[in-house]
């Protein structure tokens, strides 16, 4: 799989850990299961899981020998995920659920079932062994400190964003953005509950039964309806959406992974649709104020529209652009820009949903501050109310993220661990959004009264994914 090879190469160069549990789950989640041949393909890929885990283990052992490793925090979390997928946390092992799915498929092919069951058992054992390797061998050789330093961070940032940033300047800009967003959140809270603080407005939004959906199935259907309605309303007016791109499926993510919502793209022939995946974290009640902008981020006009549009462009783009994308800065920058854009287009006029969008913006500004601050071991500004003048570390990052992101504590704990394990990725949302906004503003100034927002988006997305420096060059033509 290209994404797994790329993850291995990324580790070889930078020492950053990525979770094979999450990567493999996404692969198997999106594989078709409609025919016997589909299930034979699943069995064949299942058989390769132990080999893939062995290669990752070998690569990480070489990293230990060279002193190029991820931090202990990352090793512990990866071991937890691998253990969860092998059934340690009391859940049914993930690969065993594929056997269950085959049993429920209606196909009666005993030999194939035996192959799937044998391969699933071997994959489960491989993940259990991998969890043990991380705990017993890798952990002790990994550093306690999360910071990777300026050189490794800059390399990672270039890989993710396709640009070379002035990191300390970007860190200061992150603070400016957070203060701007917090001021707008305070003003928006007044429209929700006059005289209330942001925390008081949030408490109302979280507790009001009329502002929430009960039940996982009903929530999934609400997400599906929102995606379908948004596509129908945007098509032809604000975007031109090709027919195959209009199909999207809202899904509930299997347990065991990180708690952030995510997206998987369609197959190149669109026989498998793009899908948004929502990890419930065990919740059965879903306040809606923060979910609308997240749906726009993951679906349309965010990830689904950008990723599926690239595939629909076919031979007009390179296969690398269609399958792998152009880097996190372009892809995540577009999705965050899409959230803001929906506010500009009037889809977040409800102050509940607008506050949700601002919360998402605050989270991304917090990431810029925490990711650069921890990895470069910078100091918190002396003018800041949170621990002024202290040097960043992971513990302070956890506290700050919980206090200023406005997201739940369990979600933020998962988030901080995730992006400390991929230095330079967490900043790509805001850094990428900034590049998209700057490109749009430059185009607006050049065209003046003739500027057409729909045409700008069409021209930009039809070029396909690229690094942020190239995006700036292409959009200035």
């Amino acid at each position: 799989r290209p994404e797994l090879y790329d993850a291995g190469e990324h580790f070889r160069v930078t020492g950053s850990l990525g979770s094979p549990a999450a990567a493999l789950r996404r692969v198997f989640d999106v594989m078709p299961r409609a025919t016997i041949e589909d299930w034979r393909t699943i069995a064949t890929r299942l058989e390769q899981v132990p080999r893939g885990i062995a290669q990752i283990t070998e690569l990480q052992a070489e990293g230990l020998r060279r002193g190029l490793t991820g931090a202990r925090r990352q090793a512990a979390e990866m071991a937890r995920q691998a253990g969860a997928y092998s059934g340690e946390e009391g859940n049914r092992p993930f690969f065993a659920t594929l056997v269950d799915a085959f049993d429920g498929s209606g196909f009666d092919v005993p030999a194939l079932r035996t192959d799937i069951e044998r391969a699933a058992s071997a994959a489960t054992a491989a993940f259990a062994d991998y969890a043990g390797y991380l705990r017993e061998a890798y952990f002790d050789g990994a550093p306690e400190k999360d910071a990777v330093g300026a050189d490794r961070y800059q390399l990672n940032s270039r890989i993710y964003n396709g640009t070379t940033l002035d990191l300390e300047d970007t860190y200061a800009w992150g603070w400016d953005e957070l203060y701007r967003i917090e001021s707008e959140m305070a003003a928006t809270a007044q429209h929700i509950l006059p005289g209330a603080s942001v925390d008081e407005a949030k408490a109302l939004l979280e507790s009001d039964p009329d502002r929430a959906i009960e039940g996982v199935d009903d929530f999934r259907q609400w997400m599906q309806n929102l995606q379908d309605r948004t596509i129908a309303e945007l098509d032809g007016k604000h975007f031109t959406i090709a027919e195959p791109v209009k199909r999207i499926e809202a899904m509930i993510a299997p347990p065991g992974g990180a708690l952030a919502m995510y997206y998987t793209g369609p197959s190149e022939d669109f026989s498998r649709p793009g899908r948004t995946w929502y990890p419930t974290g065990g919740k059965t009640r879903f306040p809606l104020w923060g979910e609308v902008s997240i749906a726009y981020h993951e679906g349309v006009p965010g990830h689904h529209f950008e990723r599926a549009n690239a595939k629909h462009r076919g031979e007009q783009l390179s296969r690398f652009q269609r399958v792998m994308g152009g880097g996190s800065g372009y892809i995540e920058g577009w999705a965050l820009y899409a959230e803001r854009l929906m506010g500009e287009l009037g889809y977040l006029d409800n102050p509940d949903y607008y506050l949700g969008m601002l919360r998402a913006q605050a989270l991304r500004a917090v990431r810029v501050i925490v990711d650069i601050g921890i990895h470069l071991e910078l100091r918190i500004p002396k003018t800041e109310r949170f621990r002024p003048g202290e040097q960043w570390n992971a513990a302070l990052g956890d506290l700050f993220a919980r206090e200023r992101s406005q997201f739940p504590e369990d979600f933020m704990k998962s988030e901080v661990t995730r992006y400390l394990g991929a230095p330079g990725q967490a900043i790509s949302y805001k850094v990428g959004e900034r590049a998209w906004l700057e490109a749009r503003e430059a185009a607006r100034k050049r065209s003046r009264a003739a500027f057409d927002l729909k045409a700008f988006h069409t021209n930009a997305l039809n070029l396909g994914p690229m690094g942020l420096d190239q995006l700036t060059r292409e959009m200035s033509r």
Side-chain angles (χ1 to χ4, degrees):
R1 297 288 298 179
E3 64 268 32
L4 298 183
Y5 173 80
D6 184 68
E9 181 67 9
H10 188 82
F11 176 83
R12 186 184 69 78
V13 174
T14 67
S16 297
L17 290 169
S19 171
L24 283 171
R25 182 193 71 206
R26 295 186 187 193
V27 169
F28 283 104
D29 280 346
V30 301
M31 288 178 66
R33 305 177 183 184
T35 69
I36 288 293
E37 285 307 310
D38 290 339
W39 281 103
R40 288 198 174 102
T41 301
I42 289 172
T44 299
R45 287 197 176 166
L46 269 175
E47 290 170 356
Q48 296 302 313
V49 169
R51 177 171 171 264
I53 293 298
Q55 290 175 337
I56 291 171
T57 303
E58 181 182 355
L59 190 67
Q60 291 172 348
E62 177 65 19
L64 282 174
R65 289 189 287 273
R66 295 187 186 188
L68 190 64
T69 67
R72 287 185 174 183
R73 173 196 289 247
Q74 303 306 315
E77 175 59 19
M78 286 179 63
R80 185 199 68 76
Q81 287 193 20
Y85 278 72
S86 62
E88 281 185 0
E89 294 186 357
N91 297 317
R92 183 150 171 74
F94 170 73
F95 297 106
T97 66
L98 296 174
V99 182
D100 298 340
F102 181 78
D103 288 342
S105 69
F107 295 118
D108 184 15
V109 187
L112 178 56
R113 188 193 187 282
T114 298
D115 289 344
I116 294 171
E117 186 173 33
R118 183 187 303 114
S121 295
T124 298
F127 265 84
D129 291 344
Y130 182 56
Y133 164 76
L134 289 169
R135 291 171 182 141
E136 296 161 14
Y138 194 92
F139 186 87
D140 288 342
E144 185 75 36
K145 187 166 74 170
D146 293 273
V148 300
D151 291 343
R152 279 174 68 180
Y153 190 93
Q154 185 66 267
L155 173 60
N156 263 37
S157 174
R158 281 169 48 200
I159 290 170
Y160 282 120
N161 298 298
T163 187
T164 299
L165 297 168
D166 181 325
L167 295 175
E168 295 200 20
D169 180 71
T170 305
Y171 172 74
W173 169 76
W175 282 108
D176 290 341
E177 278 293 279
L178 181 60
Y179 294 148
R180 177 190 65 79
I181 294 162
E182 288 179 336
S183 176
E184 194 170 358
M185 289 183 78
T188 304
Q190 298 302 306
H191 296 290
I192 297 169
L193 189 63
S197 65
V198 172
D199 285 343
E200 289 167 337
K202 279 175 52 185
L204 173 64
L205 297 176
E206 288 287 324
S207 61
D208 185 351
D210 293 334
R211 289 174 157 108
I213 287 181
E214 296 284 350
V216 172
D217 290 342
D218 285 348
F219 177 71
R220 190 209 64 77
Q221 189 60 54
W222 176 86
M223 292 287 285
Q224 183 68 59
N225 293 343
L226 177 61
Q227 299 287 357
D228 293 342
R229 185 171 65 251
T230 302
I231 290 170
E233 292 177 359
L234 292 182
D235 182 37
K237 183 176 182 181
H238 298 296
F239 295 97
T240 299
I241 304 177
E243 202 61 35
V245 178
K246 293 178 183 178
R247 185 181 171 209
I248 186 173
E249 291 183 352
M251 309 288 286
I252 299 299
L259 296 180
M261 191 174 176
Y262 60 92
Y263 171 76
T264 56
S267 56
E268 290 182 87
D269 64 359
F270 285 89
S271 60
R272 181 190 71 239
R275 291 169 174 150
T276 61
W277 297 83
Y278 192 97
T280 66
K283 294 187 303 182
T284 59
R285 181 179 179 277
F286 303 91
L288 298 180
W289 68 283
E291 304 298 348
V292 175
S293 66
I294 293 175
Y296 295 149
H297 180 110
E298 301 295 342
V300 174
H303 284 319
H304 176 68
F305 182 55
E306 183 273 315
R307 294 279 67 226
N309 183 73
K311 289 186 177 174
H312 185 257
R313 296 281 291 163
E315 296 303 318
Q316 294 167 302
L317 300 179
S318 71
R319 191 159 190 263
F320 180 87
Q321 288 177 297
R322 298 197 308 271
V323 177
M324 298 296 292
S328 187
Y330 177 98
I331 292 171
E332 296 296 354
W334 168 263
L336 188 59
Y337 166 80
E339 293 186 55
R340 181 193 294 243
L341 175 67
M342 290 299 277
E344 295 172 351
L345 297 179
Y347 281 82
L348 299 173
D349 285 352
N350 182 328
D352 298 7
Y353 301 154
Y354 193 77
L355 187 67
M357 184 273 288
L358 291 174
R359 179 178 71 160
Q361 290 277 333
L363 169 65
R364 277 42 176 251
V366 164
R367 285 176 176 173
V368 172
I369 295 166
V370 168
D371 200 46
I372 297 177
I374 293 175
H375 284 298
L376 271 63
E377 298 182 285
L378 301 179
R379 293 196 174 274
I380 299 169
K382 292 182 179 178
T383 54
E384 164 58 32
R385 69 177 186 270
F386 177 87
R387 304 295 182 92
E390 292 190 31
Q391 187 179 70
W392 280 110
N393 56 43
L396 286 182
D398 278 335
L399 290 173
F400 182 77
R402 294 174 197 177
E403 180 179 312
R404 303 290 276 276
S405 71
Q406 309 293 336
F407 275 79
E409 183 174 320
D410 59 342
F411 175 84
M412 286 315 303
K413 183 174 179 59
S414 170
E415 278 289 281
V416 171
T417 298
R418 178 177 72 85
Y419 52 75
L420 284 182
Q425 193 276 333
I427 68 174
S428 64
Y429 302 73
K430 282 296 288 181
V431 167
E433 181 202 39
R434 178 173 62 176
W436 276 104
L437 288 168
E438 289 175 350
R440 185 179 76 176
E441 185 57 26
R444 190 188 303 276
K445 287 181 178 178
R446 283 196 307 273
S447 300
R448 298 182 182 177
F451 177 74
D452 185 311
L453 185 60
K454 180 182 176 184
F456 168 79
H457 290 142
T458 299
N459 293 337
L461 292 176
N462 282 350
L463 290 172
M466 62 191 79
L468 295 181
D469 279 349
Q470 188 178 359
L471 175 68
T472 299
R473 288 193 299 270
E474 294 295 336
M475 297 313 296
S476 67
R477 293 180 188 274

